[in-house]
């Protein structure tokens, strides 16, 4: 007769054979992600934490150094704040315009963001290792010196639009332009191939130059212009 081979289902373990080891399923064990979870964080603490992060990035722009904070912990809250502030202060800057300058806000806003996107795409096409949003973060935060220059120029223009006023505004704008260009290149230069850094810096130079020119040529609109 043919013998039937026993299958796995026919194999049984005797009750007197001890089973060594211990099988446990950890339930609710703390993980690395749980320690940094912000789902249960109050809204006030979230806002304060984000504001502190934005303030630290402003400090890195005003004092550029070998730091990867702008690249590692990128965000677009600071660039958005600076862009809106600069666009509002440049609104209605044409002295011979009879309109309220409403469209100028959109023009400045689109110019800043469109220029940042073009520079970022140029950097990526040239082999840059920086990500798209990291580049937007750096370019946006580095508008801070030019925004400060715009505030100073508005204050100077309150005293008049003579030669002395223009000289003061020229010095402030040139210094801010140089600072913005230096700060941005300090963060972006290391992410580019050594033989293509000039091709990346040149669009950055033009980008901040256009913004600086808009600030320098700004003159407050006069609504009561006589015939």
């Amino acid at each position: 007769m043919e013998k039937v081979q026993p299958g796995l289902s026919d194999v049984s373990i005797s009750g007197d054979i001890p089973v060594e080891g211990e099988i446990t399923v950890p339930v609710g064990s703390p993980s690395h992600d749980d320690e940094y979870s912000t789902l249960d964080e109050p809204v006030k603490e979230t806002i304060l934490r984000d504001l502190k992060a934005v303030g630290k990035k402003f400090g890195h722009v005003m004092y550029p150094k070998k730091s990867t904070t702008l690249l590692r912990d990128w965000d677009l809250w600071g660039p958005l704040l600076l862009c809106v502030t600069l666009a509002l202060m440049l609104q209605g800057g044409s002295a011979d315009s009879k309109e309220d300058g409403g469209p100028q806000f959109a023009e400045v806003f689109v110019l800043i963001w469109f220029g940042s996107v073009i520079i970022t795409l140029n950097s990526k096409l040239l082999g840059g290792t920086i990500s798209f949003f990291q580049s937007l973060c750096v370019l946006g935060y580095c508008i801070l010196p030019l925004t400060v220059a715009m505030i100073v120029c508005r204050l100077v223009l309150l005293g008049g639009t003579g030669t002395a006023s223009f000289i003061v505004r020229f010095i402030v704008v040139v210094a801010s332009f140089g600072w913005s260009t230096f700060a941005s290149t300090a963060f972006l230069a290391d992410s580019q191939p050594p033989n293509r850094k000039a091709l990346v810096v040149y669009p950055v130079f033009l980008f901040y130059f256009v913004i600086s020119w808009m600030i320098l040529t700004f003159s407050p609109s006069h609504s009561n212009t006589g015939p």
Side-chain angles (χ1 to χ4, degrees), residues 116-132:
S116 300
V117 170
I118 294 298
I119 294 175
T120 300
L121 293 177
N122 176 71
S123 174
K124 296 296 292 182
L125 292 175
L126 291 175
T129 58
I130 190 174
S131 70
F132 183 83

Side-chain angles (χ1 to χ4, degrees), residues 60-64 142 145 173-185:
H60 284 294
V61 172
M62 298 308 296
Y63 180 62
C142 289
V173 171
V174 170
S176 301
F177 162 71
W179 199 266
S180 294
T181 305
F182 170 74
S184 60
T185 53

Side-chain angles (χ1 to χ4, degrees), residues 81-169:
L81 175 64
L82 294 174
C83 181
V84 171
T85 302
L86 189 59
L88 286 174
M89 288 190 295
L90 286 172
Q91 184 177 356
S94 179
D96 55 355
S97 175
K98 297 181 180 180
E99 300 179 357
D100 58 354
Q104 294 183 15
F105 176 88
E107 293 172 1
V108 175
F109 193 88
V110 171
L111 174 65
I112 293 176
W113 285 103
F114 184 74
S116 300
V117 170
I118 294 298
I119 294 175
T120 300
L121 293 177
N122 176 71
S123 174
K124 296 296 292 182
L125 292 175
L126 291 175
T129 58
I130 190 174
S131 70
F132 183 83
F133 290 103
Q134 285 176 336
S135 179
L136 290 181
C137 174
V138 171
L139 293 172
Y141 270 102
C142 289
I143 300 178
L144 176 62
L146 293 174
T147 305
V148 175
M150 186 67 221
I151 297 175
V152 175
C153 290
R154 290 295 297 259
L155 295 176
V156 172
L157 286 172
L158 294 177
T161 57
T163 304
S165 173
F166 177 79
I167 294 176
V168 173
R169 290 186 289 121

Side-chain angles (χ1 to χ4, degrees), residues 190-210:
D190 292 338
S191 63
Q192 304 300 323
N195 58 340
R196 296 180 179 179
K197 288 184 178 182
L199 297 176
V200 177
V201 173
Y202 181 68
V204 175
F205 176 88
L206 291 180
F207 174 66
Y208 291 120
F209 177 80
V210 172

Side-chain angles (χ1 to χ4, degrees), residues 28-85:
S29 58
S31 62
H32 179 73
D33 296 335
D34 294 337
E35 297 177 359
Y36 297 93
S37 177
T38 58
L39 294 177
D40 299 330
E41 184 181 43
V43 177
K44 181 181 178 180
E45 293 183 7
T46 302
I47 295 176
L48 291 177
R49 176 170 50 81
D50 292 340
L51 289 177
K52 290 180 181 179
V54 171
K56 289 181 179 179
K57 292 183 178 66
F58 283 160
H60 284 294
V61 172
M62 298 308 296
Y63 180 62
K65 56 182 179 180
K66 292 292 182 179
S67 174
T68 59
T69 302
L70 283 179
L71 302 180
R72 184 182 66 252
D73 304 326
W74 63 267
D75 67 80
L76 299 180
W77 290 114
L80 179 62
L81 175 64
L82 294 174
C83 181
V84 171
T85 302

